[in-house]
Amino acid sequence: MVLRMVPGPTSMSAAVRQAYAEEVGSPDVETEEFFSDYFVLEATFQRLLNFSGSIVIGSGEGMVCLWGALNSVLSPGDTVLCVVNGIFGEGFAGMAKDMKANVICVHSDWTQGIDPNTVIAAIKEHNPRLVTLVHCETPSGVKSIEALLMLELGIVNPLDGIGKAIREYTTDGLFLVDFVSSSFGVVLNVDEELIDLGLFAPQKVLSGPCALACTTVTERAWERIRELKYQGYDALLPFDGLSPSSPLLLPYTHNWPAIRATMAAANAIETEGKEAVIARHAAVAQFCREEAVRLGLELYCQIIEHASPTVTALKVPTDKLSWEVMEKELKAEGLICGGSYGSLYGNVFRIGHMGTQANGSLVKEALDIIARVIASHT
């Protein structure tokens, strides 16, 4: 029996797997039946994310929505302000540079969250057309800009004031937030935070299939999308105006089984109650951190208030063994968890406790295995 505690894709439940396996027809021919499912899923996402605009549900892994959002709203020479305190923040800067944008980075220590006031000051100074921010940097286990994270009490101020500052201090700036790894596991109100493009996918907290790329889109963002007219597989434009009363057309054959499976995953969240799901993630994250420290492991994130409720990053005890050896021996013991990337590779590993994996007994089992493997090298 393999215990998978990875930062995603997370393990799908039996109900989700069953929905994924159900036979469906052709979404290109049986359009009414397919779009009935599509719009039900969109409405569910709107409720869960507190968002009143339209949501593009694209076919493809989560990275598709990252590229699709940038391609759909950026032109060469546009000023992009990228908030960077982790690998995916760096990734947005790299993608924007490849698109010939004028990229300005607001850097922060990777073990800490971004100070919103620093970001707002940069917005005032540079008048960007786009601000990009990663809500939860899973390679480091940091929730990137939360000044206060007290999920146990239901108090959370993510993205505080940044969307408002973009509206007030830029000519026509848009706010893009990657909440792939945090959505549905933390308090998030997309409307209140004035997020123009919110990126998410079902393979994290939802524990759905790794097959859809989703984007919340405000009318302000649609105006830019219509202006640029970008046409590509990842383009948002073909979804503009899609509604039950519009012509039901998509630019490609959609993944209907993935829509069905994600509906089952989202229904499970609503059945449990989104507040209960958030509380469960907070409690399991706290337990994971406390138990890891008790076992002698060192947390990567130095400020607990900034720690992610969906992933815990721990330092590899390199004085005892390398990550390559540790990973191999963990697998031999039946545990698969995540390493890290870039400059963190070999120094940090991650336990994913999101979705179906937000379970204290699973976390305890994983940490016990980790402790045994490390102890064998002492």
Side-chain angles (χ1 to χ4, degrees):
M1 184 71 174
V2 177
L3 175 61
R4 293 183 175 87
M5 299 298 287
V6 296
T10 54
S11 301
M12 292 187 289
S13 70
V16 172
R17 292 196 303 270
Q18 181 178 347
Y20 206 8
E22 289 177 357
E23 184 177 356
V24 295
S26 165
D28 300 326
V29 177
E30 299 169 68
T31 53
E32 289 186 10
E33 293 82 359
F34 166 75
F35 278 103
S36 175
D37 286 345
Y38 182 100
F39 292 125
V40 165
L41 182 57
E42 180 185 23
T44 304
F45 283 154
Q46 288 167 330
R47 291 191 299 272
L48 290 172
L49 295 171
N50 302 298
F51 181 62
S52 58
S54 55
I55 299 179
V56 171
I57 305 172
S59 183
E61 193 274 333
M63 281 298 295
V64 171
C65 62
L66 275 67
W67 277 109
L70 291 182
N71 281 323
S72 295
V73 301
L74 275 188
S75 297
D78 283 350
T79 295
V80 181
L81 184 71
C82 296
V83 181
V84 178
N85 73 323
I87 290 166
F88 284 104
E90 277 190 343
F92 274 113
M95 288 187 281
K97 287 176 183 176
D98 286 345
M99 299 173 68
K100 310 303 180 186
N102 172 35
V103 177
I104 297 162
C105 293
V106 178
H107 290 280
S108 177
D109 188 314
W110 284 26
T111 66
Q112 301 178 18
I114 291 290
D115 177 6
N117 292 324
T118 303
V119 178
I120 291 169
I123 290 168
K124 292 179 181 179
E125 179 181 357
H126 297 289
N127 186 27
R129 292 205 84 199
L130 183 69
V131 175
T132 71
L133 185 147
V134 180
H135 194 206
C136 178
E137 281 279 10
T138 56
S140 60
V142 174
K143 178 166 292 301
S144 57
I145 59 115
E146 292 186 4
L148 174 65
L149 176 58
M150 296 177 64
L151 290 175
E152 299 90 336
L153 303 179
I155 302 171
V156 61
N157 294 317
L159 322 170
D160 191 25
I162 294 177
K164 184 173 183 286
I166 293 169
R167 303 287 175 99
E168 291 183 357
Y169 302 120
T170 72
T171 305
D172 61 350
L174 299 175
F175 191 20
L176 183 155
V177 178
D178 172 348
F179 43 73
V180 172
S181 293
S182 59
S183 51
F184 315 107
V186 302
V187 175
L188 180 61
N189 190 315
V190 176
D191 276 344
E192 284 189 4
E193 301 297 350
L194 301 176
I195 298 169
D196 293 297
L197 295 156
L199 315 180
F200 66 103
Q203 72 260 29
K204 298 286 189 173
V205 173
L206 280 178
S207 293
C210 183
L212 299 178
C214 310
T215 309
T216 66
V217 188
T218 62
E219 182 55 34
R220 296 174 75 254
W222 280 124
E223 290 174 3
R224 178 85 62 82
I225 292 164
R226 294 169 193 140
E227 173 191 334
L228 263 62
K229 296 182 173 60
Y230 167 69
Q231 299 284 347
Y233 179 86
D234 57 354
L236 297 175
L237 184 62
F239 294 82
D240 183 21
L242 189 65
S243 73
S245 60
S246 69
L248 300 177
L249 298 172
L250 287 179
Y252 47 69
T253 298
H254 212 299
N255 191 332
W256 196 353
I259 293 283
R260 284 278 181 90
T262 304
M263 288 171 65
N267 288 342
I269 295 282
E270 289 205 304
T271 298
E272 183 177 353
K274 60 183 180 182
E275 292 81 8
V277 171
I278 289 167
R280 171 164 58 88
H281 280 75
V284 171
Q286 181 176 347
F287 170 77
C288 183
R289 293 190 297 268
E290 292 176 352
E291 185 68 7
V293 171
R294 188 187 69 80
L295 292 171
L297 296 166
E298 186 176 355
L299 300 172
Y300 176 76
C301 182
Q302 298 301 304
I303 300 178
I304 296 303
E305 289 79 7
H306 293 167
S308 166
T310 56
V311 178
T312 293
L314 300 163
K315 293 184 179 181
V316 176
T318 53
D319 58 325
K320 297 181 176 65
L321 74 170
S322 68
W323 169 242
E324 288 82 0
V325 171
M326 182 175 170
E327 181 181 31
K328 182 178 180 180
E329 294 189 8
L330 289 177
K331 286 183 179 179
E333 292 286 328
L335 172 64
I336 299 176
C337 54
S340 197
Y341 308 103
S343 61
L344 298 181
Y345 179 78
N347 297 310
V348 172
F349 70 101
R350 298 167 293 150
I351 297 174
H353 39 71
M354 63 181 81
T356 57
Q357 297 166 196
N359 180 303
S361 63
L362 296 180
V363 169
K364 179 66 165 61
E365 183 179 353
L367 287 170
D368 286 346
I369 293 172
I370 291 167
R372 286 202 306 271
V373 166
I374 294 173
S376 69
H377 290 266
T378 300

